Amino acid sequence: MLISSSAAPRHLLRLPRPLAAALVLLVAPWLAWAQPLDGASLWAQVQRQLAAGETLPALQALQDWLREHPADVQARLLLGVAQARAGDAAAAQATYEQLTREYPELPEPYNNLAVLHAAAGRLGEARAALEAALRAHPDYATAHRNLGDVYAQLALGHWQRSLALQPDQPGLPERASALRQLLQPAPR
């Protein structure tokens, strides 16, 4: 379908691989468990857990951390990722919306919010969130790529509607088919 980033979760809301990948944030490498838990080691622990499919322990670790450190923006972003991975899109959306209100200058919450909107078929809302991400950070490549995917999905919808209304339009079936193929998730 659409929306991409660097690493792909395997079971997020049955999203196509590029779409689900946008919800993953890159974090520091894994640190030893023996170290006291600080922000960096929390991120590493949670990233490892999410990569291993251990969503609920990751979610619990983030919630525990945020009770003591409620202003930790990185942990709150990762909380949204964990919530989405756990299948709680509503909680993830609430997390990202709160972050956009508190930190409108950060593009990542807008991008992740756009992923949730796109997954739910709300392409107009996804487009608006990505445009907000680009206002906050005009050089945010992921948001540019995701916005291109949203526009492609919107274009496909209009082409399909046009074909339904007038099926004999020359060249349009081939264009729609090519775009549909382009938007298919990459094989694993």
Side-chain angles (χ1 to χ4, degrees):
M1 188 172 168
L2 56 131
I3 312 281
S4 62
S5 186
S6 57
R10 300 228 184 258
H11 60 281
L12 173 63
L13 305 173
R14 292 191 173 273
L15 303 179
R17 187 174 174 186
L19 178 59
L23 287 174
V24 177
L25 302 174
L26 297 176
V27 297
W30 170 242
L31 299 173
W33 281 96
Q35 295 179 357
L37 193 61
D38 61 10
S41 59
L42 169 77
W43 270 71
Q45 171 190 328
V46 168
Q47 183 65 24
R48 182 195 57 77
Q49 289 171 323
L50 290 175
E54 301 168 1
T55 306
L56 295 180
L59 194 53
Q60 187 61 54
L62 285 163
Q63 290 168 337
D64 292 346
W65 174 264
L66 286 168
R67 274 192 278 286
E68 298 289 322
H69 306 90
D72 186 335
V73 176
Q74 291 180 332
R76 290 171 63 194
L77 276 168
L78 196 52
L79 176 66
V81 172
Q83 290 166 325
R85 290 265 190 102
D88 194 350
Q93 181 174 337
T95 296
Y96 295 138
E97 287 174 347
Q98 184 64 36
L99 284 167
T100 63
R101 285 189 293 275
E102 292 177 29
Y103 303 96
E105 70 280 6
L106 296 178
E108 295 86 358
Y110 292 109
N111 183 73
N112 291 5
L113 187 57
V115 171
L116 296 174
H117 288 316
R122 298 184 304 265
L123 296 177
E125 291 176 60
R127 185 190 71 230
L130 290 165
E131 288 170 350
L134 292 171
R135 279 192 301 278
H137 191 287
D139 295 329
Y140 188 40
T142 301
H144 280 286
R145 182 174 55 241
N146 293 343
L147 187 56
D149 287 342
V150 166
Y151 282 135
Q153 195 68 32
L154 288 167
L156 180 59
H158 286 286
W159 286 351
Q160 289 173 330
R161 177 71 175 142
S162 179
L163 280 169
L165 295 170
Q166 193 176 20
D168 60 341
Q169 295 180 55
L172 192 52
E174 295 81 11
R175 293 172 89 184
S177 177
L179 187 53
R180 207 177 295 108
Q181 188 73 14
L182 178 66
L183 290 172
Q184 291 300 311
R188 292 183 194 232

